[in-house]
mmCIF file of all heavy atoms in Angstrom:
data_model
loop_
_atom_site.group_PDB
_atom_site.id
_atom_site.type_symbol
_atom_site.label_atom_id
_atom_site.label_comp_id
_atom_site.label_asym_id
_atom_site.label_seq_id
_atom_site.Cartn_x
_atom_site.Cartn_y
_atom_site.Cartn_z
ATOM 1 N N GLU F 1 44.977 5.938 56.035
ATOM 2 C CA GLU F 1 45.418 5.968 57.414
ATOM 3 C C GLU F 1 44.346 6.503 58.350
ATOM 4 O O GLU F 1 44.383 6.256 59.563
ATOM 5 C CB GLU F 1 46.695 6.808 57.531
ATOM 6 C CG GLU F 1 47.888 6.193 56.807
ATOM 7 C CD GLU F 1 49.129 7.050 56.955
ATOM 8 O OE1 GLU F 1 49.046 8.051 57.705
ATOM 9 O OE2 GLU F 1 50.157 6.726 56.345
ATOM 10 N N ILE F 2 43.396 7.286 57.804
ATOM 11 C CA ILE F 2 42.360 7.849 58.670
ATOM 12 C C ILE F 2 41.029 7.134 58.516
ATOM 13 O O ILE F 2 40.148 7.295 59.337
ATOM 14 C CB ILE F 2 42.182 9.355 58.393
ATOM 15 C CG1 ILE F 2 41.693 9.585 56.968
ATOM 16 C CG2 ILE F 2 43.440 10.110 58.678
ATOM 17 C CD1 ILE F 2 41.294 11.020 56.706
ATOM 18 N N VAL F 3 40.867 6.320 57.435
ATOM 19 C CA VAL F 3 39.651 5.531 57.254
ATOM 20 C C VAL F 3 39.909 4.134 57.803
ATOM 21 O O VAL F 3 40.871 3.478 57.399
ATOM 22 C CB VAL F 3 39.248 5.440 55.774
ATOM 23 C CG1 VAL F 3 38.016 4.558 55.618
ATOM 24 C CG2 VAL F 3 39.003 6.817 55.200
ATOM 25 N N PRO F 4 39.110 3.637 58.744
ATOM 26 C CA PRO F 4 39.327 2.299 59.292
ATOM 27 C C PRO F 4 39.363 1.258 58.175
ATOM 28 O O PRO F 4 38.629 1.344 57.193
ATOM 29 C CB PRO F 4 38.116 2.094 60.210
ATOM 30 C CG PRO F 4 37.645 3.473 60.539
ATOM 31 C CD PRO F 4 37.949 4.311 59.344
ATOM 32 N N GLU F 5 40.222 0.264 58.348
ATOM 33 C CA GLU F 5 40.404 -0.740 57.298
ATOM 34 C C GLU F 5 39.099 -1.427 56.946
ATOM 35 O O GLU F 5 38.823 -1.715 55.780
ATOM 36 C CB GLU F 5 41.431 -1.779 57.742
ATOM 37 C CG GLU F 5 41.720 -2.828 56.674
ATOM 38 C CD GLU F 5 42.820 -3.788 57.077
ATOM 39 O OE1 GLU F 5 43.542 -3.495 58.038
ATOM 40 O OE2 GLU F 5 42.936 -4.833 56.416
ATOM 41 N N GLU F 6 38.265 -1.679 57.956
ATOM 42 C CA GLU F 6 37.014 -2.385 57.670
ATOM 43 C C GLU F 6 36.033 -1.559 56.853
ATOM 44 O O GLU F 6 35.037 -2.080 56.347
ATOM 45 C CB GLU F 6 36.352 -2.836 58.973
ATOM 46 C CG GLU F 6 35.944 -1.715 59.908
ATOM 47 C CD GLU F 6 37.048 -1.323 60.868
ATOM 48 O OE1 GLU F 6 38.216 -1.721 60.635
ATOM 49 O OE2 GLU F 6 36.756 -0.612 61.848
ATOM 50 N N SER F 7 36.294 -0.250 56.728
ATOM 51 C CA SER F 7 35.398 0.611 55.954
ATOM 52 C C SER F 7 35.965 0.991 54.596
ATOM 53 O O SER F 7 35.296 1.675 53.825
ATOM 54 C CB SER F 7 35.098 1.892 56.754
ATOM 55 O OG SER F 7 34.473 1.591 57.986
ATOM 56 N N GLN F 8 37.164 0.554 54.297
ATOM 57 C CA GLN F 8 37.781 0.925 53.029
ATOM 58 C C GLN F 8 37.140 0.142 51.882
ATOM 59 O O GLN F 8 36.856 -1.049 52.018
ATOM 60 C CB GLN F 8 39.280 0.650 53.078
ATOM 61 C CG GLN F 8 40.029 1.526 54.061
ATOM 62 C CD GLN F 8 41.488 1.128 54.186
ATOM 63 O OE1 GLN F 8 41.996 0.373 53.364
ATOM 64 N NE2 GLN F 8 42.146 1.641 55.221
ATOM 65 N N PRO F 9 36.893 0.786 50.732
ATOM 66 C CA PRO F 9 36.289 0.086 49.601
ATOM 67 C C PRO F 9 37.261 -0.894 48.965
ATOM 68 O O PRO F 9 38.463 -0.631 48.870
ATOM 69 C CB PRO F 9 35.936 1.222 48.635
ATOM 70 C CG PRO F 9 36.893 2.311 48.977
ATOM 71 C CD PRO F 9 37.133 2.208 50.446
ATOM 72 N N VAL F 10 36.729 -2.039 48.533
ATOM 73 C CA VAL F 10 37.527 -3.077 47.878
ATOM 74 C C VAL F 10 36.848 -3.433 46.559
ATOM 75 O O VAL F 10 35.682 -3.851 46.551
ATOM 76 C CB VAL F 10 37.660 -4.330 48.760
ATOM 77 C CG1 VAL F 10 38.481 -5.398 48.040
ATOM 78 C CG2 VAL F 10 38.283 -3.991 50.093
ATOM 79 N N ALA F 11 37.556 -3.254 45.458
ATOM 80 C CA ALA F 11 37.038 -3.622 44.140
ATOM 81 C C ALA F 11 37.337 -5.097 43.889
ATOM 82 O O ALA F 11 38.497 -5.518 43.887
ATOM 83 C CB ALA F 11 37.679 -2.754 43.060
ATOM 84 N N LEU F 12 36.300 -5.888 43.693
ATOM 85 C CA LEU F 12 36.450 -7.333 43.551
ATOM 86 C C LEU F 12 36.691 -7.735 42.102
ATOM 87 O O LEU F 12 36.275 -7.057 41.165
ATOM 88 C CB LEU F 12 35.200 -8.046 44.057
ATOM 89 C CG LEU F 12 34.841 -7.854 45.531
ATOM 90 C CD1 LEU F 12 33.556 -8.607 45.851
ATOM 91 C CD2 LEU F 12 35.970 -8.326 46.427
ATOM 92 N N SER F 13 37.353 -8.858 41.933
ATOM 93 C CA SER F 13 37.460 -9.506 40.630
ATOM 94 C C SER F 13 37.005 -10.947 40.794
ATOM 95 O O SER F 13 37.063 -11.512 41.891
ATOM 96 C CB SER F 13 38.897 -9.454 40.095
ATOM 97 O OG SER F 13 39.781 -10.166 40.952
ATOM 98 N N PHE F 14 36.554 -11.540 39.705
ATOM 99 C CA PHE F 14 35.996 -12.893 39.758
ATOM 100 C C PHE F 14 36.743 -13.808 38.801
ATOM 101 O O PHE F 14 37.090 -13.415 37.686
ATOM 102 C CB PHE F 14 34.505 -12.877 39.415
ATOM 103 C CG PHE F 14 33.660 -12.198 40.454
ATOM 104 C CD1 PHE F 14 33.439 -10.834 40.407
ATOM 105 C CD2 PHE F 14 33.113 -12.929 41.492
ATOM 106 C CE1 PHE F 14 32.678 -10.203 41.375
ATOM 107 C CE2 PHE F 14 32.344 -12.310 42.466
ATOM 108 C CZ PHE F 14 32.130 -10.950 42.406
ATOM 109 N N GLY F 15 36.974 -15.032 39.260
ATOM 110 C CA GLY F 15 37.550 -16.030 38.374
ATOM 111 C C GLY F 15 36.564 -16.408 37.288
ATOM 112 O O GLY F 15 35.378 -16.091 37.354
ATOM 113 N N LYS F 16 37.056 -17.072 36.255
ATOM 114 C CA LYS F 16 36.189 -17.460 35.147
ATOM 115 C C LYS F 16 35.145 -18.461 35.635
ATOM 116 O O LYS F 16 35.488 -19.548 36.108
ATOM 117 C CB LYS F 16 37.009 -18.069 34.017
ATOM 118 C CG LYS F 16 37.977 -17.101 33.362
ATOM 119 C CD LYS F 16 38.766 -17.771 32.247
ATOM 120 C CE LYS F 16 39.746 -16.789 31.605
ATOM 121 N NZ LYS F 16 40.538 -17.422 30.520
ATOM 122 N N PRO F 17 33.861 -18.122 35.538
ATOM 123 C CA PRO F 17 32.826 -19.064 35.979
ATOM 124 C C PRO F 17 32.727 -20.237 35.017
ATOM 125 O O PRO F 17 33.070 -20.121 33.828
ATOM 126 C CB PRO F 17 31.555 -18.218 35.960
ATOM 127 C CG PRO F 17 31.826 -17.169 34.929
ATOM 128 C CD PRO F 17 33.297 -16.871 34.997
ATOM 129 N N ASN F 18 32.263 -21.372 35.521
ATOM 130 C CA ASN F 18 32.175 -22.542 34.644
ATOM 131 C C ASN F 18 30.971 -23.402 34.995
ATOM 132 O O ASN F 18 30.335 -23.234 36.040
ATOM 133 C CB ASN F 18 33.461 -23.366 34.707
ATOM 134 C CG ASN F 18 33.650 -24.067 36.040
ATOM 135 O OD1 ASN F 18 33.071 -25.118 36.290
ATOM 136 N ND2 ASN F 18 34.465 -23.473 36.916
ATOM 137 N N LEU F 19 30.687 -24.343 34.088
ATOM 138 C CA LEU F 19 29.554 -25.254 34.219
ATOM 139 C C LEU F 19 29.983 -26.662 34.593
ATOM 140 O O LEU F 19 29.227 -27.614 34.431
ATOM 141 C CB LEU F 19 28.771 -25.284 32.904
ATOM 142 C CG LEU F 19 27.957 -24.029 32.614
ATOM 143 C CD1 LEU F 19 27.642 -23.915 31.129
ATOM 144 C CD2 LEU F 19 26.680 -24.014 33.425
ATOM 145 N N GLY F 20 31.195 -26.797 35.060
ATOM 146 C CA GLY F 20 31.683 -28.107 35.450
ATOM 147 C C GLY F 20 32.513 -28.753 34.365
ATOM 148 O O GLY F 20 32.689 -28.227 33.257
ATOM 149 N N VAL F 21 33.014 -29.924 34.663
ATOM 150 C CA VAL F 21 33.899 -30.647 33.748
ATOM 151 C C VAL F 21 33.067 -31.559 32.858
ATOM 152 O O VAL F 21 32.310 -32.396 33.355
ATOM 153 C CB VAL F 21 34.936 -31.468 34.541
ATOM 154 C CG1 VAL F 21 35.805 -32.281 33.586
ATOM 155 C CG2 VAL F 21 35.790 -30.548 35.400
ATOM 156 N N PRO F 22 33.170 -31.408 31.535
ATOM 157 C CA PRO F 22 32.391 -32.270 30.637
ATOM 158 C C PRO F 22 32.992 -33.658 30.538
ATOM 159 O O PRO F 22 34.146 -33.891 30.909
ATOM 160 C CB PRO F 22 32.484 -31.535 29.296
ATOM 161 C CG PRO F 22 33.815 -30.856 29.354
ATOM 162 C CD PRO F 22 34.002 -30.452 30.803
ATOM 163 N N GLU F 23 32.191 -34.572 30.037
ATOM 164 C CA GLU F 23 32.696 -35.913 29.765
ATOM 165 C C GLU F 23 33.469 -35.887 28.455
ATOM 166 O O GLU F 23 33.056 -35.261 27.488
ATOM 167 C CB GLU F 23 31.531 -36.903 29.661
ATOM 168 C CG GLU F 23 31.968 -38.336 29.405
ATOM 169 C CD GLU F 23 30.787 -39.284 29.283
ATOM 170 O OE1 GLU F 23 29.647 -38.819 29.392
ATOM 171 O OE2 GLU F 23 31.020 -40.484 29.062
ATOM 172 N N LEU F 24 34.606 -36.554 28.418
ATOM 173 C CA LEU F 24 35.428 -36.606 27.213
ATOM 174 C C LEU F 24 35.443 -38.030 26.693
ATOM 175 O O LEU F 24 35.761 -38.972 27.425
ATOM 176 C CB LEU F 24 36.852 -36.121 27.502
ATOM 177 C CG LEU F 24 37.768 -35.956 26.284
ATOM 178 C CD1 LEU F 24 38.764 -34.829 26.516
ATOM 179 C CD2 LEU F 24 38.521 -37.238 25.959
ATOM 180 N N LEU F 25 35.073 -38.195 25.424
ATOM 181 C CA LEU F 25 35.049 -39.513 24.797
ATOM 182 C C LEU F 25 36.126 -39.589 23.727
ATOM 183 O O LEU F 25 36.313 -38.658 22.946
ATOM 184 C CB LEU F 25 33.683 -39.781 24.163
ATOM 185 C CG LEU F 25 32.475 -39.762 25.117
ATOM 186 C CD1 LEU F 25 31.203 -40.018 24.339
ATOM 187 C CD2 LEU F 25 32.639 -40.778 26.223
ATOM 188 N N THR F 26 36.840 -40.711 23.687
ATOM 189 C CA THR F 26 37.844 -40.944 22.657
ATOM 190 C C THR F 26 37.361 -42.063 21.749
ATOM 191 O O THR F 26 36.386 -42.764 22.040
ATOM 192 C CB THR F 26 39.187 -41.339 23.281
ATOM 193 O OG1 THR F 26 39.053 -42.636 23.879
ATOM 194 C CG2 THR F 26 39.599 -40.337 24.361
ATOM 195 N N ARG F 27 38.058 -42.219 20.635
ATOM 196 C CA ARG F 27 37.690 -43.301 19.714
ATOM 197 C C ARG F 27 37.823 -44.660 20.398
ATOM 198 O O ARG F 27 37.113 -45.599 20.078
ATOM 199 C CB ARG F 27 38.576 -43.249 18.472
ATOM 200 C CG ARG F 27 38.335 -42.029 17.589
ATOM 201 C CD ARG F 27 39.185 -42.120 16.328
ATOM 202 N NE ARG F 27 39.148 -40.898 15.548
ATOM 203 C CZ ARG F 27 38.216 -40.610 14.644
ATOM 204 N NH1 ARG F 27 37.239 -41.466 14.435
ATOM 205 N NH2 ARG F 27 38.254 -39.481 13.970
ATOM 206 N N ALA F 28 38.749 -44.760 21.322
ATOM 207 C CA ALA F 28 38.956 -46.019 22.020
ATOM 208 C C ALA F 28 37.960 -46.218 23.155
ATOM 209 O O ALA F 28 37.980 -47.223 23.845
ATOM 210 C CB ALA F 28 40.380 -46.079 22.568
ATOM 211 N N GLY F 29 37.071 -45.240 23.347
ATOM 212 C CA GLY F 29 36.078 -45.357 24.397
ATOM 213 C C GLY F 29 36.586 -44.978 25.763
ATOM 214 O O GLY F 29 35.914 -45.205 26.770
ATOM 215 N N GLU F 30 37.795 -44.403 25.817
ATOM 216 C CA GLU F 30 38.347 -44.007 27.094
ATOM 217 C C GLU F 30 37.697 -42.715 27.574
ATOM 218 O O GLU F 30 37.199 -41.923 26.799
ATOM 219 C CB GLU F 30 39.859 -43.811 26.972
ATOM 220 C CG GLU F 30 40.593 -45.078 26.532
ATOM 221 C CD GLU F 30 42.052 -44.799 26.236
ATOM 222 O OE1 GLU F 30 42.435 -43.614 26.237
ATOM 223 O OE2 GLU F 30 42.794 -45.764 26.000
#
């Protein structure tokens, strides 16, 4: 209540990082 909101510390979390969507091959070539 006495610390301005813009100065309050915020602990961040991160989503699971990734390298993109791989190509998926089936026996039928789909």
Side-chain angles (χ1 to χ4, degrees):
E1 294 180 5
I2 63 171
V3 177
E5 183 175 345
E6 62 271 15
S7 300
Q8 294 174 14
V10 179
L12 299 179
S13 63
F14 292 88
K16 295 180 181 179
N18 69 81
L19 287 159
V21 177
E23 181 181 0
L24 187 149
L25 300 179
T26 68
R27 292 184 189 274
E30 300 172 352

